[in-house]
Amino acid sequence: METEKKIVRPREGRKIAGVCAAFAKFFGLDVSIIRIVWLLAVLLAGTGMLAYLICWLVIPEEGR
C-alpha cells in the first residue's frame, strides 16, 4: 500500500508563512535551497511574490 504524499505548511521551522518549508519537506530538499530559488523568482521574474501569496492561501497548515 502506498501512502499519499500531501503538501502542508509546517507549524515549526517557518520564517513567514511556511510555504518554502512545505515545498522543502515535500520534495526532500533543504529549505535554504527553496528559499534562494523563491527569492530569485521574486527578483528576476517578478511572479514569485504572487505565487507565494497563492500558495499561502491554498496550502493547508499542518494539523488541520
Side-chain angles (χ1 to χ4, degrees):
M1 245 179 142
E2 292 184 35
T3 59
E4 188 176 328
K5 196 172 182 183
K6 294 184 180 182
I7 188 166
V8 292
R9 294 184 295 121
R11 292 182 181 268
E12 295 181 15
R14 59 188 189 182
K15 296 292 182 192
I16 299 174
V19 173
C20 292
F23 279 105
K25 186 175 180 182
F26 184 78
F27 291 114
L29 299 171
D30 184 40
V31 71
S32 297
I33 294 171
I34 302 295
R35 288 181 179 138
I36 290 170
V37 169
W38 212 290
L39 179 65
L40 289 173
V42 169
L43 295 176
L44 299 177
T47 58
M49 192 60 161
L50 179 62
Y52 192 90
L53 292 172
I54 291 170
C55 289
W56 189 351
L57 295 172
V58 174
I59 299 173
E61 192 170 0
E62 187 176 55
R64 286 189 174 186

